[in-house]
Amino acid sequence: MAHPFMLATLKKSVAADPSSTLSSWGHLILRVSVGLMIFYIHGWHKLEGGIAYLQNGTPWRLVEEVAGMHFPSPVASAFAATIVQFVCAPLLALGLLTQLNAAMLTGTLSVAILQNILAGRDPQLAILYVLVMGSMIFLGGGRFSLDARLFHAGIARLS
């Protein structure tokens, strides 16, 4: 059961501007959940595979697929994609430099769409990520983000 004070505060904020408050919460949930999914499911696991590849020579499917796409320097390209997903996704979840991180993730995940198609896999998840990241480029971090806290607060003080 929610605390009565929390319920009263939520009712006041929704009553003041229901669409803004609810959309801000929706924006937060979407940004954090997608950022953490990309970080954990894609960035973390790709980084583990890349480290095993460097340390033990364990086959790394990502390098093989990047080489199959005829990208220059497949190992460097695979690590670049991995680092973008490993670093940019948690920053996106925090809402720090959201538009820049979303743009970098959009580029990386757009290549993932092509990679999935060429490998005969379903590209739906990569397409969904690209659509969300493309939206984040335009939406920014939102009200509940480090961007809003760090940058918009500073702009408001200067006005």
Side-chain angles (χ1 to χ4, degrees):
M1 184 90 179
H3 189 276
F5 176 76
M6 289 173 46
L7 288 175
T9 304
L10 181 60
K11 285 179 186 176
K12 283 182 191 175
S13 65
V14 170
D17 190 358
S19 64
S20 175
T21 300
L22 293 176
S23 64
S24 293
W25 280 104
H27 190 152
L28 172 71
I29 292 166
L30 180 65
R31 191 189 74 239
V32 170
S33 60
V34 170
L36 292 178
M37 284 176 62
I38 293 170
F39 168 75
Y40 182 70
I41 297 171
H42 304 284
W44 182 269
H45 290 280
K46 282 185 178 100
L47 187 60
E48 286 179 330
I51 291 170
Y53 173 79
L54 291 177
Q55 288 180 338
N56 308 321
T58 305
W60 190 20
R61 192 172 78 186
L62 182 60
V63 169
E64 295 165 6
E65 290 179 358
V66 170
M69 294 172 63
H70 305 293
F71 270 53
S73 305
V75 174
S77 296
F79 270 105
T82 299
I83 296 304
V84 166
Q85 292 175 357
F86 188 79
V87 173
C88 294
L91 292 175
L92 181 99
L94 293 170
L96 182 62
L97 304 174
T98 305
Q99 293 167 309
L100 174 64
N101 288 308
M104 292 177 69
L105 285 163
T106 298
T108 301
L109 295 165
S110 294
V111 174
I113 293 170
L114 177 61
Q115 183 181 11
N116 283 324
I117 291 169
L118 293 175
R121 291 189 305 262
D122 187 354
Q124 286 183 34
L125 184 58
I127 292 169
L128 183 59
Y129 284 144
V130 167
L131 291 171
V132 172
M133 291 302 105
S135 297
M136 289 292 160
I137 292 170
F138 295 104
L139 294 171
R143 183 167 144 196
F144 303 125
S145 67
L146 288 177
D147 288 341
R149 186 162 189 105
L150 297 173
F151 302 118
H152 298 296
I155 292 169
R157 280 188 294 235
L158 293 174
S159 306

